[in-house]
Amino acid sequence: MFSGIVQEIGIIKDIGMKNRILELTISSKHLINDLKIGSSIAVNGCCLTVVECSPAKTFKVQVTEETLKKTNFLNLKSGLKVNLESSLKLGETIDGHLVSGHIDTVGEVSDICSSGENKIIKISYSSEYGKYIAPKGSISVNGVSLTIIESKNDKFDFTLIPFTRDNTNLGLLKAGDLVNLEIDLISRYVVNALESTRQEIKLR
Protein backbone atom coordinates (compact mmCIF):
# COMPACT_ATOMS: atom_id res chain seq x y z
CA MET A 1 0.00 0.00 0.00
CA PHE A 2 1.18 3.52 -0.84
CA SER A 3 0.07 7.12 -0.31
CA GLY A 4 0.70 8.73 -3.69
CA ILE A 5 3.47 10.96 -2.34
CA VAL A 6 6.48 10.49 -4.61
CA GLN A 7 9.70 10.18 -2.62
CA GLU A 8 12.22 10.22 -5.43
CA ILE A 9 12.58 10.43 -9.19
CA GLY A 10 14.47 7.43 -10.52
CA ILE A 11 16.09 7.02 -13.93
CA ILE A 12 15.75 3.93 -16.10
CA LYS A 13 19.24 2.59 -16.72
CA ASP A 14 18.33 -0.55 -18.64
CA ILE A 15 15.17 -2.08 -20.06
CA GLY A 16 14.53 -5.32 -21.90
CA MET A 17 12.27 -8.35 -22.34
CA LYS A 18 13.20 -11.74 -20.90
CA ASN A 19 10.88 -14.72 -21.23
CA ARG A 20 7.95 -12.37 -22.01
CA ILE A 21 8.64 -10.37 -18.84
CA LEU A 22 9.83 -6.76 -18.98
CA GLU A 23 12.85 -6.10 -16.77
CA LEU A 24 13.63 -2.57 -15.62
CA THR A 25 16.87 -1.49 -13.98
CA ILE A 26 16.35 1.83 -12.20
CA SER A 27 18.83 4.12 -10.47
CA SER A 28 18.00 5.55 -7.06
CA LYS A 29 19.99 7.92 -4.85
CA HIS A 30 18.00 7.56 -1.63
CA LEU A 31 15.35 4.81 -1.58
CA ILE A 32 17.92 2.22 -2.65
CA ASN A 33 19.39 2.38 0.87
CA ASP A 34 16.23 0.81 2.33
CA LEU A 35 15.42 -1.60 -0.49
CA LYS A 36 16.15 -5.30 -0.44
CA ILE A 37 15.16 -8.26 -2.58
CA GLY A 38 11.43 -8.79 -2.09
CA SER A 39 10.66 -5.16 -1.23
CA SER A 40 7.60 -3.55 -2.79
CA ILE A 41 8.07 -0.27 -4.60
CA ALA A 42 5.74 1.86 -6.70
CA VAL A 43 7.19 2.75 -10.10
CA ASN A 44 5.01 5.34 -11.85
CA GLY A 45 2.30 4.22 -9.44
CA CYS A 46 2.57 0.50 -10.19
CA CYS A 47 3.45 -1.81 -7.30
CA LEU A 48 6.42 -3.97 -8.30
CA THR A 49 8.73 -6.35 -6.46
CA VAL A 50 12.46 -5.71 -6.23
CA VAL A 51 14.28 -8.77 -7.59
CA GLU A 52 17.83 -7.42 -7.51
CA CYS A 53 19.79 -4.64 -5.79
CA SER A 54 23.19 -3.41 -6.92
CA PRO A 55 25.99 -1.58 -5.07
CA ALA A 56 25.88 0.84 -8.02
CA LYS A 57 22.66 2.23 -6.49
CA THR A 58 20.34 0.52 -8.94
CA PHE A 59 17.57 -2.00 -8.46
CA LYS A 60 15.73 -4.31 -10.83
CA VAL A 61 12.00 -5.03 -11.09
CA GLN A 62 10.00 -7.26 -13.41
CA VAL A 63 6.72 -6.47 -15.16
CA THR A 64 4.36 -9.24 -16.25
CA GLU A 65 2.26 -9.32 -19.42
CA GLU A 66 -0.95 -8.51 -17.54
CA THR A 67 0.63 -5.42 -15.98
CA LEU A 68 2.00 -4.33 -19.36
CA LYS A 69 -1.55 -4.33 -20.74
CA LYS A 70 -2.71 -1.93 -18.02
CA THR A 71 0.24 0.48 -17.83
CA ASN A 72 2.43 2.79 -19.89
CA PHE A 73 5.52 0.62 -19.35
CA LEU A 74 5.78 -0.42 -23.00
CA ASN A 75 6.52 3.24 -23.76
CA LEU A 76 9.43 3.42 -21.33
CA LYS A 77 13.03 3.55 -22.50
CA SER A 78 16.49 4.05 -21.03
CA GLY A 79 17.08 7.53 -19.66
CA LEU A 80 13.45 8.28 -18.83
CA LYS A 81 12.51 9.46 -15.34
CA VAL A 82 10.03 7.49 -13.23
CA ASN A 83 8.26 8.29 -9.96
CA LEU A 84 9.28 6.13 -7.01
CA GLU A 85 7.59 5.53 -3.66
CA SER A 86 8.39 2.85 -1.10
CA SER A 87 5.53 0.97 0.54
CA LEU A 88 3.84 2.42 3.62
CA LYS A 89 4.70 1.17 7.08
CA LEU A 90 2.08 0.84 9.82
CA GLY A 91 1.83 4.06 11.77
CA GLU A 92 3.13 6.33 9.01
CA THR A 93 1.22 9.47 8.07
CA ILE A 94 -0.84 9.23 4.88
CA ASP A 95 -0.32 12.63 3.28
CA GLY A 96 -2.01 11.75 -0.02
CA HIS A 97 -4.65 9.02 -0.22
CA LEU A 98 -4.57 5.23 -0.05
CA VAL A 99 -3.05 3.88 -3.27
CA SER A 100 -2.84 0.13 -3.88
CA GLY A 101 -0.35 0.28 -6.73
CA HIS A 102 -2.71 -1.72 -8.96
CA ILE A 103 -3.09 0.35 -12.12
CA ASP A 104 -6.60 0.39 -13.58
CA THR A 105 -5.96 1.86 -16.99
CA VAL A 106 -3.85 4.24 -19.04
CA GLY A 107 -4.94 7.82 -19.70
CA GLU A 108 -3.71 10.24 -22.33
CA VAL A 109 -2.70 13.86 -21.81
CA SER A 110 -5.10 15.78 -24.04
CA ASP A 111 -4.28 19.36 -23.05
CA ILE A 112 -1.95 21.42 -20.85
CA CYS A 113 -2.49 25.09 -20.11
CA SER A 114 -0.92 27.57 -17.70
CA SER A 115 -2.71 29.18 -14.76
CA GLY A 116 -0.26 31.55 -13.09
CA GLU A 117 2.60 29.43 -11.74
CA ASN A 118 0.46 26.31 -12.01
CA LYS A 119 -0.51 24.14 -14.94
CA ILE A 120 -3.92 22.63 -15.61
CA ILE A 121 -3.53 19.19 -17.16
CA LYS A 122 -6.45 17.43 -18.84
CA ILE A 123 -6.45 13.63 -19.11
CA SER A 124 -8.70 11.55 -21.35
CA TYR A 125 -9.64 8.05 -20.19
CA SER A 126 -11.83 5.07 -21.02
CA SER A 127 -15.52 5.80 -20.37
CA GLU A 128 -15.98 2.65 -18.26
CA TYR A 129 -14.12 4.38 -15.41
CA GLY A 130 -16.18 7.56 -15.50
CA LYS A 131 -18.49 6.46 -12.68
CA TYR A 132 -15.51 6.38 -10.29
CA ILE A 133 -14.06 9.78 -11.22
CA ALA A 134 -15.75 12.81 -9.67
CA PRO A 135 -14.84 16.46 -8.97
CA LYS A 136 -12.94 16.91 -5.68
CA GLY A 137 -12.23 13.19 -5.61
CA SER A 138 -8.76 11.64 -5.52
CA ILE A 139 -6.91 9.86 -8.30
CA SER A 140 -3.38 8.57 -8.79
CA VAL A 141 -1.61 9.72 -11.96
CA ASN A 142 1.78 8.05 -12.49
CA GLY A 143 1.71 7.33 -8.77
CA VAL A 144 1.00 10.93 -7.71
CA SER A 145 -1.99 11.57 -5.43
CA LEU A 146 -4.04 14.35 -7.03
CA THR A 147 -7.39 16.06 -6.60
CA ILE A 148 -9.73 16.10 -9.58
CA ILE A 149 -10.93 19.59 -10.55
CA GLU A 150 -13.57 18.56 -13.05
CA SER A 151 -14.63 15.38 -14.81
CA LYS A 152 -16.68 15.55 -17.99
CA ASN A 153 -17.03 13.67 -21.28
CA ASP A 154 -14.42 11.01 -20.41
CA LYS A 155 -11.86 13.65 -19.41
CA PHE A 156 -10.73 15.02 -16.08
CA ASP A 157 -8.29 17.75 -15.17
CA PHE A 158 -6.04 18.51 -12.23
CA THR A 159 -3.77 21.32 -11.10
CA LEU A 160 -0.02 20.75 -11.21
CA ILE A 161 1.59 23.04 -8.63
CA PRO A 162 5.30 24.00 -8.85
CA PHE A 163 6.36 21.63 -6.03
CA THR A 164 4.77 18.60 -7.68
CA ARG A 165 6.10 19.71 -11.07
CA ASP A 166 9.66 19.83 -9.73
CA ASN A 167 9.55 16.66 -7.62
CA THR A 168 7.75 14.22 -9.93
CA ASN A 169 7.83 13.39 -13.62
CA LEU A 170 4.46 15.09 -14.18
CA GLY A 171 6.34 18.28 -15.00
CA LEU A 172 7.72 16.54 -18.09
CA LEU A 173 4.31 15.66 -19.53
CA LYS A 174 3.24 16.88 -22.95
CA ALA A 175 0.11 16.38 -25.02
CA GLY A 176 -0.21 12.81 -26.24
CA ASP A 177 1.77 11.24 -23.39
CA LEU A 178 0.30 8.19 -21.66
CA VAL A 179 -0.02 8.06 -17.87
CA ASN A 180 -0.89 5.32 -15.40
CA LEU A 181 -4.22 5.83 -13.63
CA GLU A 182 -5.49 4.25 -10.44
CA ILE A 183 -8.97 5.23 -9.31
CA ASP A 184 -9.63 5.96 -5.65
CA LEU A 185 -10.16 2.79 -3.61
CA ILE A 186 -13.00 4.29 -1.58
CA SER A 187 -14.79 5.48 -4.72
CA ARG A 188 -14.44 2.02 -6.25
CA TYR A 189 -15.91 0.24 -3.21
CA VAL A 190 -18.78 2.71 -2.76
CA VAL A 191 -19.83 2.57 -6.42
CA ASN A 192 -19.54 -1.22 -6.58
CA ALA A 193 -21.54 -1.61 -3.36
CA LEU A 194 -24.31 0.65 -4.67
CA GLU A 195 -24.46 -1.20 -7.99
CA SER A 196 -24.61 -4.54 -6.17
CA THR A 197 -27.44 -3.27 -3.96
CA ARG A 198 -29.41 -2.01 -6.96
CA GLN A 199 -29.00 -5.37 -8.66
CA GLU A 200 -30.25 -7.22 -5.57
CA ILE A 201 -33.31 -4.95 -5.39
CA LYS A 202 -34.14 -5.63 -9.05
CA LEU A 203 -33.98 -9.38 -8.45
CA ARG A 204 -36.46 -9.29 -5.57
Side-chain angles (χ1 to χ4, degrees):
M1 192 66 73
F2 307 89
S3 68
I5 303 299
V6 173
Q7 296 167 310
E8 183 179 355
I9 298 177
I11 299 176
I12 298 176
K13 291 299 185 180
D14 190 39
I15 183 170
M17 296 293 294
K18 183 178 180 181
N19 298 325
R20 302 176 72 176
I21 291 178
L22 182 70
E23 294 190 334
L24 298 172
T25 300
I26 301 170
S27 67
S28 164
K29 293 181 180 179
H30 309 294
L31 293 183
I32 188 67
N33 298 323
D34 297 319
L35 293 179
K36 60 182 183 296
I37 293 176
S39 294
S40 293
I41 187 165
V43 178
N44 273 0
C46 182
C47 180
L48 299 172
T49 300
V50 175
V51 298
E52 184 180 305
C53 291
S54 166
K57 287 190 174 291
T58 64
F59 65 91
K60 181 181 289 186
V61 292
Q62 296 177 325
V63 186
T64 64
E65 285 185 283
E66 180 61 28
T67 301
L68 289 175
K69 294 176 185 177
K70 294 282 188 177
T71 65
N72 61 6
F73 285 161
L74 285 176
N75 295 76
L76 297 180
K77 57 185 179 181
S78 293
L80 287 184
K81 295 180 177 181
V82 289
N83 295 329
L84 302 177
E85 181 189 355
S86 58
S87 57
L88 284 172
K89 298 178 178 62
L90 288 176
E92 286 188 326
T93 301
I94 301 175
D95 292 316
H97 72 282
L98 287 175
V99 176
S100 69
H102 301 156
I103 303 301
D104 290 294
T105 188
V106 170
E108 181 178 343
V109 178
S110 59
D111 187 46
I112 301 176
C113 62
S114 297
S115 177
E117 294 185 346
N118 304 323
K119 290 186 180 297
I120 307 298
I121 299 181
K122 189 178 294 292
I123 305 290
S124 60
Y125 59 91
S126 174
S127 60
E128 66 181 292
Y129 297 100
K131 58 188 176 183
Y132 303 111
I133 299 175
K136 310 306 179 186
S138 297
I139 194 165
S140 169
V141 178
N142 271 2
V144 182
S145 174
L146 297 164
T147 300
I148 298 163
I149 301 175
E150 186 177 1
S151 177
K152 187 177 181 181
N153 298 328
D154 303 335
K155 291 182 174 64
F156 72 87
D157 45 25
F158 65 88
T159 300
L160 182 65
I161 62 174
F163 179 85
T164 306
R165 178 197 65 205
D166 296 339
N167 290 278
T168 72
N169 64 9
L170 297 187
L172 302 174
L173 291 177
K174 58 186 183 300
D177 283 349
L178 300 180
V179 291
N180 293 333
L181 301 179
E182 181 188 331
I183 59 177
D184 180 39
L185 289 172
I186 296 175
S187 174
R188 183 203 308 274
Y189 294 143
V190 169
V191 171
N192 287 349
L194 289 173
E195 289 184 342
S196 178
T197 300
R198 290 195 191 101
Q199 187 64 28
E200 290 177 2
I201 292 174
K202 288 180 180 179
L203 294 175
R204 289 176 183 173

